[in-house]
Amino acid sequence: MDTGQFMKRLPPGLEPLADFALDIRWACSHASDALWRRVDAETWERTQNPWLILQNVTGKRLEALASDKKFKEELQRLMKAHKAYLAQANWFQRTHPDSPAKVIAYFSMEFGLCEALPLYTGGLGMLAGDHLKTASDLGVPIVGVGLLYQQGYFRQMLDAQGCQQEFYPYNDPAGLSICPAINPGGDWLRVWLELPGRKLTLRVWQVRVGGVKLYLLDSNDPLNSPLDRGITGTLYGGGRETRLLQEMVLGIGGWRVLAALDIRPEVLHLNEGHAAFTTLERVQSFKEMHGIGFEEALWATRAGNVFTTHTPVSAGFDVFDTSLMSQYFRNYAGTLGISLNCLLNLGRKASGNQDEPFNMTYLALHTCGAVNAVSRLHKRVSQGIFRPLYPNWPEADIPVGHVTNGVHVPSWDSQHADELWTQACGKERWLGTMESIPEQIEKLSDEDLWEFQTKGRR
């Protein structure tokens, strides 16, 4: 990965710091906290951002660290562990050696990987970030696709009167643990969308999450108009048109990023309906590859699409007026080989009602072969919400499954909790079956648990 345009030259012996800082999975783990604190304690405490530390630390401080034998030994130890982690035979390879799923593309409007990469607002993003980190640990062949926001979601502060104030600090790419994604020709990867009366240029950035890569699309390119540069300005900001454009960038532009990198996913996973346009772009790609019509390509690709719904109320679905959809999708429908009304019907519950707005969740339901809610209770709620699409089905048979939300435990447990878990269950306790964990935890003494609680309080 080329980091030259962002990175100062490091003294001999400290070169691994740059590679280490650019891996989100390792740069923000408990194992390296002490290392970054030694480099620059104040910046670490305020930002938890290793890459920003390297951007701001003085050359004099770096020279001192290069002469610090203990620091270099700790750096080498961590890098050795990092390389061993990336090279290990993982759970997926051992358990599913003949899996036909070589690549799973995971699309999400937000990814909560760490505070130093503020591209998230809540549970949806935290799930997506933990999903990638867990996939890295288990060796699941996932590639993530999202958006790089110039401001992200607002930051909340309270004024002297106790009232909430919202602020939108700028996400300077040079201070984030990201690098430009490089195309096969060695240039900064860009993809394009045809919009009414203009062409939208999208830059692509790459984030490393252990053994997983995340690609982020960014409209803040000088070739775009000031209006279009702001498409990826704010997470969930702007009006309905901006939201539609963001979801076109994520879905259509995201699939084109994978195509440009010759990444051909067998499975397409939508984390909420925001990314549902990518199912249409997948259909278009399949059509061109096999010389078939839209309907045949839809049914051929639908089986490989998975949709995770999070919303517990239908009012939370993204819905767009027919006039707005017509403005941006009339020509795209022609590219797909179907009428605009046929495309719009994919986002409606009743195909005969041309006044019904376009619903992104309905598009995902119509184009995905599997749908899951995020808990057993949410499954039942979702079956009720989706009933209008299945008017003659018993509600219990509406095809929605459930996969209960989980977390990437190493991202959330404290150093003391990690020590206790390791003592009881071993270091690789989360990397396979977990049926024995309760029994192992029960063997801990009351004294061990009390000591752990006391350390946490301190």
Side-chain angles (χ1 to χ4, degrees):
M1 183 182 297
D2 181 13
T3 64
Q5 62 175 304
F6 294 115
M7 190 60 226
K8 65 182 73 173
R9 185 178 298 277
L10 294 171
L14 299 188
E15 296 90 350
L17 279 173
D19 188 63
F20 197 29
L22 283 170
D23 189 332
I24 290 291
R25 172 66 184 87
W26 277 77
C28 301
S29 70
H30 297 312
S32 62
D33 288 359
L35 180 84
W36 296 114
R37 192 174 287 110
R38 288 187 64 185
V39 177
D40 186 340
E42 181 180 0
T43 304
W44 174 253
E45 294 301 330
R46 295 180 63 179
T47 69
Q48 306 284 297
N49 185 339
W51 188 243
L52 192 62
I53 287 174
L54 291 187
Q55 297 298 308
N56 289 281
V57 67
T58 65
K60 183 178 179 180
R61 176 60 181 154
L62 289 172
E63 291 294 343
L65 291 171
S67 302
D68 188 327
K69 182 179 179 181
K70 289 185 177 180
F71 179 86
K72 292 174 69 174
E73 288 176 349
E74 177 64 6
L75 174 60
Q76 291 301 319
R77 184 187 70 80
L78 289 171
M79 285 305 301
K80 184 178 179 180
H82 185 197
K83 291 178 181 179
Y85 167 85
L86 295 175
Q88 68 184 349
N90 49 57
W91 171 86
F92 188 83
Q93 293 170 334
R94 296 193 305 268
T95 311
H96 304 283
D98 301 317
S99 172
K102 306 303 180 186
V103 180
I104 302 162
Y106 186 83
F107 282 64
S108 182
M109 197 76 160
E110 48 176 300
F111 285 89
L113 289 162
C114 63
E115 292 184 32
L117 197 60
L119 308 177
Y120 61 95
T121 173
L124 179 75
M126 300 314 297
L127 174 71
D130 281 15
H131 203 83
L132 296 191
K133 285 185 275 190
T134 302
S136 174
D137 288 351
L138 297 177
V140 180
I142 281 180
V143 57
V145 180
L147 301 181
L148 178 70
Y149 301 100
Q150 282 80 63
Q151 296 176 309
Y153 202 62
F154 73 80
R155 310 295 180 84
Q156 180 193 64
M157 295 187 69
L158 300 179
D159 62 19
Q161 288 71 43
C163 298
Q164 175 179 302
Q165 301 290 326
E166 295 88 34
F167 299 94
Y168 294 86
Y170 174 64
N171 291 330
D172 182 3
L176 302 177
S177 296
I178 63 176
C179 276
I182 304 301
N183 66 22
D187 301 316
W188 191 348
L189 176 61
R190 286 174 167 82
V191 296
W192 294 268
L193 293 186
E194 293 292 342
L195 299 180
R198 79 269 195 199
K199 191 175 186 179
L200 179 67
T201 300
L202 298 167
R203 305 185 297 186
V204 186
W205 303 82
Q206 178 181 302
V207 182
R208 280 170 36 210
V209 189
V212 169
K213 292 180 181 178
L214 166 63
Y215 294 101
L216 301 172
L217 291 99
D218 169 21
S219 69
N220 190 23
D221 188 289
L223 296 178
N224 295 327
S225 69
L227 179 65
D228 285 344
R229 292 182 71 169
I231 290 173
T232 57
T234 307
L235 173 59
Y236 302 138
R240 302 310 297 167
E241 185 171 1
T242 299
R243 177 68 69 88
L244 176 62
L245 286 166
Q246 286 185 342
E247 297 184 2
M248 291 174 67
V249 169
L250 175 62
I252 299 173
W255 184 267
R256 292 179 182 177
V257 168
L258 299 181
L261 294 171
D262 198 29
I263 298 173
R264 302 174 185 272
E266 288 80 18
V267 177
L268 174 61
H269 190 159
L270 312 182
N271 190 36
E272 254 308 340
H274 310 122
F277 288 135
T278 198
T279 62
L280 300 180
E281 190 67 10
R282 185 180 195 183
V283 167
Q284 174 61 16
S285 176
F286 197 87
K287 274 181 64 222
E288 293 178 352
M289 185 180 301
H290 297 281
I292 58 177
F294 177 85
E295 290 292 337
E296 294 87 346
L298 173 59
W299 284 105
T301 57
R302 186 176 183 273
N305 298 337
V306 179
F307 169 45
T308 295
T309 177
H310 293 256
T311 310
V313 291
S314 56
F317 298 149
D318 275 349
V319 176
F320 301 108
D321 291 338
T322 299
S323 59
L324 185 61
M325 288 295 297
S326 176
Q327 176 184 347
Y328 283 99
F329 279 87
R330 185 174 299 278
N331 291 337
Y332 188 75
T335 302
L336 292 173
I338 58 176
S339 67
L340 175 64
N341 195 55
C342 180
L343 187 154
L344 294 180
N345 284 339
L346 290 171
R348 293 169 172 161
K349 60 186 175 185
S351 60
N353 183 3
Q354 297 189 15
D355 294 325
E356 182 183 347
F358 186 87
N359 188 308
M360 292 296 288
T361 297
Y362 292 172
L363 173 63
L365 290 167
H366 284 136
T367 57
C368 291
V371 181
N372 70 275
V374 292
S375 72
R376 190 185 305 275
L377 176 59
H378 185 229
K379 167 189 172 180
R380 296 199 294 269
V381 171
S382 298
Q383 287 173 321
I385 294 175
F386 299 152
R387 189 165 191 171
L389 276 72
Y390 304 89
N392 299 317
W393 290 51
E395 188 168 299
D397 293 338
I398 292 174
V400 179
H402 79 278
V403 179
T404 302
N405 273 352
V407 298
H408 179 249
V409 177
S411 293
W412 294 96
D413 64 355
S414 67
Q415 179 179 349
H416 307 306
D418 180 61
E419 291 171 354
L420 187 74
W421 284 110
T422 302
Q423 173 189 336
C425 312
K427 193 65 181 173
E428 298 188 354
R429 55 197 173 275
W430 310 118
L431 304 183
T433 180
M434 294 186 285
E435 281 78 0
S436 63
I437 285 183
E439 180 181 350
Q440 293 169 323
I441 290 295
E442 288 172 359
K443 293 180 180 178
L444 288 168
S445 68
D446 291 346
E447 290 77 14
D448 288 333
L449 294 174
W450 185 256
E451 182 183 4
F452 157 66
Q453 188 177 30
T454 302
K455 288 179 178 177
R457 284 201 201 98
R458 292 195 185 118

